[in-house]
């Protein structure tokens, strides 16, 4: 994810009235980025927006929806932000016009390490998985 359509970063620099924004995401669990159905850990973007909300008074409502609806709903003005979003995800001629992308707020590197003896085992054999995420301030 290089650039995201999270314009809330701009709000930190310019005074605005507290408002309610609708944040849309793909309708599946994409933890550690988001899991809005969780009662405890809703993910990175929820944590970031909650911190911003405490500072600014803005409120955020989260709406999961099918991937193909995200850009159309944004174009229609029914949602305010999409997370994650990247200009490479979309048809530039149709959906990228007039959109603002923030600087990168998270970079993802994925991988796993297993014992040599476990190389051919499938996912059903996994008992524990650790997830690490770190926020960097530039």
């Amino acid at each position: 994810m290089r650039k995201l359509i999270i314009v809330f970063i701009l709000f930190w620099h310019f005074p605005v009235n507290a408002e309610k924004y609708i944040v849309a995401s793909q309708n599946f669990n994409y933890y550690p980025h988001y899991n809005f159905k969780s009662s405890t850990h809703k993910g990175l973007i929820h944590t970031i927006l909650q911190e911003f909300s405490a500072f600014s008074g803005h409120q955020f409502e989260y709406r999961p929806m099918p991937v193909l609806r995200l850009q159309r709903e944004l174009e229609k003005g029914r949602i305010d932000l999409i997370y994650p979003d990247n200009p490479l995800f979309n048809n530039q001629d149709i959906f990228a016009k007039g959109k603002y992308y923030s600087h990168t707020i998270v970079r993802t590197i994925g991988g796993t390490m297993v014992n040599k003896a476990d190389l051919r085992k499938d996912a059903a054999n996994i008992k524990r998985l650790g997830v690490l995420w770190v926020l960097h301030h530039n």
Side-chain angles (χ1 to χ4, degrees), residues 1-137:
M1 284 170 259
R2 295 184 185 188
K3 295 180 182 178
L4 305 171
I5 186 171
I6 306 297
V7 295
F8 67 87
I9 291 174
L10 294 175
F11 299 148
W12 270 313
H13 300 292
F14 303 104
V16 293
N17 295 329
E19 295 182 36
K20 184 174 185 177
Y21 293 94
I22 299 170
V23 180
S25 64
Q26 300 164 351
N27 59 348
F28 53 82
N29 176 359
Y30 192 48
Y31 194 80
H33 293 278
Y34 59 83
N35 180 8
F36 300 128
K37 292 181 181 182
S38 172
S39 61
T40 55
H41 302 291
K42 296 186 182 292
L44 174 67
I45 194 60
H46 185 267
T47 301
I48 290 171
L49 291 178
Q50 286 301 104
E51 287 296 315
F52 176 70
S53 180
F55 173 78
S56 69
H58 289 76
Q59 296 177 348
F60 297 94
E61 177 184 328
Y62 303 94
R63 289 195 190 158
M65 59 183 59
V67 175
L68 297 177
R69 277 187 49 205
L70 291 170
Q71 301 302 323
R72 289 183 177 89
E73 293 298 302
L74 184 68
E75 288 288 317
K76 292 176 184 177
R78 294 183 184 158
I79 60 175
D80 300 300
L81 308 170
I82 297 173
Y83 182 86
D85 198 5
N86 183 313
L88 299 175
F89 294 170
N90 309 303
N91 179 328
Q92 300 296 312
D93 296 328
I94 299 172
F95 294 119
K97 293 179 180 175
K99 289 173 73 173
Y100 296 94
Y101 292 88
S102 72
H103 293 287
T104 301
I105 60 171
V106 64
R107 294 184 194 278
T108 303
I109 299 174
T112 186
M113 295 176 67
V114 297
N115 291 328
K116 201 170 191 175
D118 295 329
L119 281 176
R120 302 282 182 235
K121 292 183 180 178
D122 64 16
N125 292 299
I126 297 173
K127 294 179 183 158
R128 283 184 224 104
L129 179 66
V131 178
L132 173 68
W133 45 296
V134 180
L135 292 176
H136 290 277
H137 295 278

